[in-house]
Amino acid sequence: HVGPTEGNIDTTVNPGGQSHTYRYNVLSTHLMGTHWYHAHKHGSTALQVSGGLHGALLVDPAASYHLPKDLDALYSRASSSSSSS
């Protein structure tokens, strides 16, 4: 979640070729995975989200991240069995 102190949440981008680039620093301790962004404009969030104002955010693991040993073994077995078939 991005709070109101992180950038300007009240930025308005009108249709017709305007754009706005948001940049956020993601901490290395943030949960990796597929997340989503969506509008929070009071009174019109549902309309904006259903109209397509949302999208995916892919957070890669930190360079220092290592899978737990049991998952590493599981994925290694799955990878070797799929490449041998």
Side-chain angles (χ1 to χ4, degrees), residues 2-47:
V2 175
T5 59
E6 177 86 26
N8 182 355
I9 63 169
D10 293 321
T11 298
T12 300
V13 178
N14 295 318
Q18 279 190 318
S19 67
H20 183 81
T21 300
Y22 290 92
R23 295 187 191 280
Y24 298 102
N25 294 319
V26 179
L27 300 175
S28 62
T29 55
H30 192 284
L31 181 64
M32 65 181 153
T34 305
H35 305 274
W36 75 305
Y37 66 87
H38 57 281
H40 277 260
K41 186 78 170 168
H42 181 69
S44 60
T45 299
L47 178 63

Side-chain angles (χ1 to χ4, degrees), residues 28 60-66:
S28 62
D60 292 328
S64 61
Y65 179 79
H66 297 285

Side-chain angles (χ1 to χ4, degrees), residues 19 26 30-31 39 42 46 49 58 75 77 82-83:
S19 67
V26 179
H30 192 284
L31 181 64
H42 181 69
V49 170
L58 303 177
Y75 289 134
R77 282 196 308 268
S82 66
S83 61

